C-alpha cells in the first residue's frame, strides 16, 4: 500500500487494485448543444478538469491498471428513462429530443460519446448508465469484483450529481474511494466545494479527496 496525501488523512492506495473512474466526460455535458446546456448551464465551467483527468489516465495506462469510463445514457425507446427524470423541470430540450449532437442522452448518438481528449482505449471498461450512480442497472460491481478491485479513484462530472452519487454507491459496496479535486467539476462551484467537504467529513464518511498532483507524486515510484 502507498499513502497518498489526502483530506481528511492519508489515503491508502492499493497498486493494481485501484481503478480510475472517469464519470460522464461525454459531449452532452461538456460541449454546447447537449444535455448540460439544455438545463441552462455554462458548460465551459467543466473544462478545467480535462487536463488533470488526462494526466491520471496516462498514469493508469502506463501501469496497465483498470480504467472505467461511464456515460449517462438511455435506450432509444426511453424504456430505461423514468418519466420522473424526463419530465422534470423546464429544459430547452428534454432527454430523447434532437439537439445539435443528436438525441439528448441517447446511446449511440454523438452527444453520448466521450470527448476525444479522454476517448476510451481497447480493454478499458465503458459503462452506459441510465441513472446518476454507476452501479444502478450496470453490472459494474460484478466486473470490478472479478478484477479484484478494492479501491476507486474518482474523476469526472458533475461533482455533486453523478460523481458523488457513484462514490456513495461505491462506498456502500465496500470500496475505498478518493475523489481527485482538480479532476472533477460542477456547473456550480459552491456545490463542488460542499460535496468535497461532506465526502471527507466525519472521518472520511464517504471517502477522501486530494489534488491530482498528490496522486501522481504518490505513484511516481510504482
Ligand atoms: C447530471 C451528471 N448532472 N453526469 N449528470 O445530470 O452529473
Amino acid at each position: 500500500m502507498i499513502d497518498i496525501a489526502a483530506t481528511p488523512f492519508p489515503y491508502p492506495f492499493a497498486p493494481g487494485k485501484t481503478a480510475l473512474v472517469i464519470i460522464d466526460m461525454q459531449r452532452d455535458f461538456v460541449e454546447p448543444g447537449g444535455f448540460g446546456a439544455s438545463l441552462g448551464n455554462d458548460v465551459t465551467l467543466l473544462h478545467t478538469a480535462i487536463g488533470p483527468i488526462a494526466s491520471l489516465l496516462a498514469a493508469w495506462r502506463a501501469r496497465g491498471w483498470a480504467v472505467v469510463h461511464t456515460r449517462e445514457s438511455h435506450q432509444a425507446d426511453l424504456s430505461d428513462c423514468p418519466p420522473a427524470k424526463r419530465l422534470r423541470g423546464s429544459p430547452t430540450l428534454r432527454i430523447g429530443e434532437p439537439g445539435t449532437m443528436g438525441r439528448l442522452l441517447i446511446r449511440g448518438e454523438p452527444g453520448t460519446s466521450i470527448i476525444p481528449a479522454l476517448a476510451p482505449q481497447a480493454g478499458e471498461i465503458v459503462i452506459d448508465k441510465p441513472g446518476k450512480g454507476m452501479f444502478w442497472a450496470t453490472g459494474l460491481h460484478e466486473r470490478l469484483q472479478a478484477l479484484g478491485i478494492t479501491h476507486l479513484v474518482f474523476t469526472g462530472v458533475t461533482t455533486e450529481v453523478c460523481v458523488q452519487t457513484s462514490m456513495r454507491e461505491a462506498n456502500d459496496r465496500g470500496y475505498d474511494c478518493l475523489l481527485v479535486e482538480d479532476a472533477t467539476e460542477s456547473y456550480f462551484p459552491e456545490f463542488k466545494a460542499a460535496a468535497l467537504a461532506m465526502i471527507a467529513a466525519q472521518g472520511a464518511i464517504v471517502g477522501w479527496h486530494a489534488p491530482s498532483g498528490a496522486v501522481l507524486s504518490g505513484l511516481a515510484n510504482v
Side-chain angles (χ1 to χ4, degrees), residues 23-24 26 29 35 39 72 129 132 157-159 161-163 187:
I23 299 285
D24 297 358
Q26 62 200 71
F29 290 107
F35 181 62
L39 297 171
E72 184 173 344
K129 59 180 183 59
K132 303 303 183 194
V157 298
T158 61
T159 315
V161 185
C162 290
V163 176
Y187 302 120

Side-chain angles (χ1 to χ4, degrees), residues 2-3 24 47 60 62 74 212:
I2 300 165
D3 273 353
D24 297 358
H47 294 179
W60 254 254
H74 295 280
S212 59

